[in-house]
Amino acid sequence: MVEKYSFGIDPIPHHAWNKDRQQIAVTPNNQEIRIYQLDKSANDWTLLDTLNKHDLRVTGIDWAPRTNRIVTCSEDRDAYVWKQGPDKKWTPTQVLLRINRAATCVKWSPDENKFAAGSGARIISVCYFEQANDWWVSKHIKKPIKSTVNSIDWHPNNVLLAAGCADFKVKIFSGFIKEIEDNFPATAWGNKGSTLGNLLAEFTNSPYIGGWIHCVSFSADGNRLCWVAHDSSISVADVSHGSPIVFKLRTDTLPFLSCVWVNGTGIVAAGHGCCPMLYAVDVNNQIRFVCKLDRSQKKEGSGLSAMRKFQSLDRQAKVENDTLLETIHQNSIRSIRTYSNVNGTATKLSTSGLDGQLVIWDLKVRHRLVRITS
């Protein structure tokens, strides 16, 4: 079962849900953030508020479910933490990231006591709230980042931070903030994490025929890290048996732009191909294609057969244009979010893209395929 919603003609490169999935924040590819409320009677979305504080295009958004705070970053090199008051209005607090290039991505930590923002300045800003001065403080992870940080993701232990960069590399850093955290937890990725910015692991997609990293994602148990790159590949690093083991699958699709774990072995990736793909990691540590989430097909009436093409050319001296894709999304999918989760297994996912659509996918049938394949 698929639920489709349209928010107009504006692209939706990023979206984020609140805790009960009754509200959604979307970025229409400009400086605004729009908050919508689900109208169950009309099965549609109603615009509640427009957050307009950034000067340039918003490049990242994340909604903390427990604390009900929204963090956004932008090409204007700033971030804002939005907090909802008793009057249901959102109040922004500016966070100086101290970068000289555009911010590219942002994400809350699992405990929601800090967030990280990547940038084109080859810097990751890790920000936390300082109670004594009543402001947000940013600390930098610089070395050995040598290019734009395209994507970040937090480990479930709230400390490790993965970054996918434009130099074809994936790095795992310590995001430990001694001012708000007591001890660095034990982790299979390394024990050099007591200082912010320590490099625990680094993986190269490929120095010659690879591509820049579009998205990184930790599994729920934190023992696997998945990433997708511009060479149409999907890779997984696994530390469940000791030292990291990396396995990679180069697909024949257009490059993926986003990926997310749906359970311990299943991964959904989507991007320029406009169709979410389900992959699974089998017992031999190989990544295998399972199925497409999008099973839609063109209707006979909307398609352009060869016979119709020549009939139109013969009768009217023109050819009918057929620009509809066979997929639900009609342009690149830029963002994937978990919509519902049961015991560590995602049962529904949401995707948004450059076609202005939001699509919610039901994964219940697909999980049986993942268990069979893995």
Side-chain angles (χ1 to χ4, degrees):
M1 182 180 176
V2 177
E3 301 175 44
K4 297 182 292 182
Y5 303 98
S6 177
F7 292 91
I9 61 174
D10 293 324
I12 306 178
H14 309 284
H15 73 281
W17 297 96
N18 72 336
K19 184 177 182 179
D20 60 7
R21 302 303 191 259
Q22 299 302 303
Q23 294 183 5
I24 187 172
V26 302
T27 60
N29 208 37
N30 56 23
Q31 75 279 7
E32 297 179 349
I33 302 101
R34 298 174 184 172
I35 310 294
Y36 290 89
Q37 172 78 39
L38 179 61
D39 184 354
K40 295 183 179 180
S41 60
N43 194 30
D44 204 354
W45 297 90
T46 302
L47 180 63
L48 291 182
D49 204 349
T50 299
L51 313 183
N52 198 342
K53 196 67 176 179
H54 286 288
D55 297 326
L56 297 174
R57 184 172 65 95
V58 175
T59 54
I61 183 171
D62 199 20
W63 198 329
R66 294 193 298 273
T67 57
N68 196 35
R69 294 180 298 189
I70 299 174
V71 62
T72 59
C73 68
S74 166
E75 291 176 349
D76 62 9
R77 300 172 295 172
D78 281 334
Y80 284 92
V81 174
W82 304 80
K83 189 174 181 179
Q84 195 174 32
D87 58 353
K88 302 300 182 181
K89 296 295 183 181
W90 292 92
T91 303
T93 300
Q94 187 176 17
V95 183
L96 298 179
L97 300 178
R98 299 187 293 118
I99 55 178
N100 59 8
R101 294 291 187 273
T104 55
C105 50
V106 68
K107 191 156 191 177
W108 286 106
S109 68
D111 290 348
E112 302 176 12
N113 58 348
K114 56 186 175 179
F115 66 87
S119 70
R122 300 177 296 179
I123 289 173
I124 299 175
S125 298
V126 181
C127 308
Y128 66 96
F129 190 74
E130 195 175 70
Q131 295 285 350
N133 295 309
D134 193 29
W135 62 17
W136 288 87
V137 178
S138 64
K139 291 191 174 184
H140 285 171
I141 299 176
K142 296 181 178 180
K143 296 180 180 181
I145 304 175
K146 298 181 179 180
S147 64
T148 298
V149 178
N150 293 326
S151 175
I152 53 178
D153 192 34
W154 287 96
H155 190 278
N157 68 6
N158 200 64
V159 171
L160 300 189
L161 184 64
C165 305
D167 60 355
F168 304 179
K169 292 183 179 180
V170 175
K171 300 176 175 69
I172 299 179
F173 296 100
S174 165
F176 183 77
I177 302 293
K178 62 181 181 181
E179 286 80 1
I180 60 174
E181 294 168 308
D182 297 328
N183 299 308
F184 183 83
T187 171
W189 294 100
N191 55 8
K192 300 181 296 182
S194 58
T195 302
L196 177 71
N198 280 357
L199 181 65
L200 279 72
E202 180 178 287
F203 310 101
T204 301
N205 190 49
S206 177
Y208 305 109
I209 57 175
W212 54 86
I213 311 302
H214 283 299
C215 185
V216 293
S217 178
F218 273 112
S219 60
D221 61 5
N223 289 327
R224 285 174 171 173
L225 176 67
C226 173
W227 65 86
V228 291
H230 200 67
D231 61 350
S232 300
S233 67
I234 179 170
S235 305
V236 173
D238 188 353
V239 293
S240 56
H241 300 291
S243 300
I245 301 174
V246 179
F247 27 102
K248 177 176 180 177
L249 174 66
R250 182 170 283 109
T251 70
D252 58 359
T253 66
L254 292 175
F256 297 123
L257 299 176
S258 186
C259 62
V260 65
W261 290 88
V262 295
N263 56 21
T265 58
I267 305 164
V268 169
H272 290 301
C274 308
C275 177
M277 305 280 196
L278 178 61
Y279 293 87
V281 182
D282 62 20
V283 293
N284 298 318
N285 284 339
Q286 298 297 317
I287 306 172
R288 299 186 183 277
F289 172 73
V290 178
C291 68
K292 295 180 179 181
L293 297 190
D294 193 341
R295 301 294 182 87
S296 61
Q297 296 179 353
K298 285 186 179 179
K299 295 181 181 180
E300 183 67 25
S302 64
L304 182 63
S305 64
M307 178 64 71
R308 286 184 56 194
K309 178 178 178 180
F310 286 108
Q311 285 177 345
S312 176
L313 185 62
D314 180 51
R315 296 172 183 172
Q316 304 176 13
K318 67 178 182 180
V319 179
E320 296 181 23
N321 290 324
D322 185 17
T323 58
L324 292 178
L325 301 178
E326 296 181 355
T327 55
I328 294 175
H329 277 288
Q330 294 296 299
N331 209 327
S332 299
I333 297 173
R334 294 292 304 274
S335 176
I336 306 177
R337 294 277 186 172
T338 300
Y339 182 81
S340 61
N341 188 299
V342 178
N343 297 326
T345 297
T347 56
K348 288 185 178 181
L349 295 179
S350 63
T351 58
S352 66
L354 301 186
D355 58 355
Q357 286 195 99
L358 173 75
V359 182
I360 300 175
W361 309 86
D362 194 334
L363 300 179
K364 294 178 182 178
V365 176
R366 275 73 174 183
H367 280 303
R368 290 197 292 268
L369 294 174
V370 171
R371 289 195 292 269
I372 294 171
T373 306
S374 57

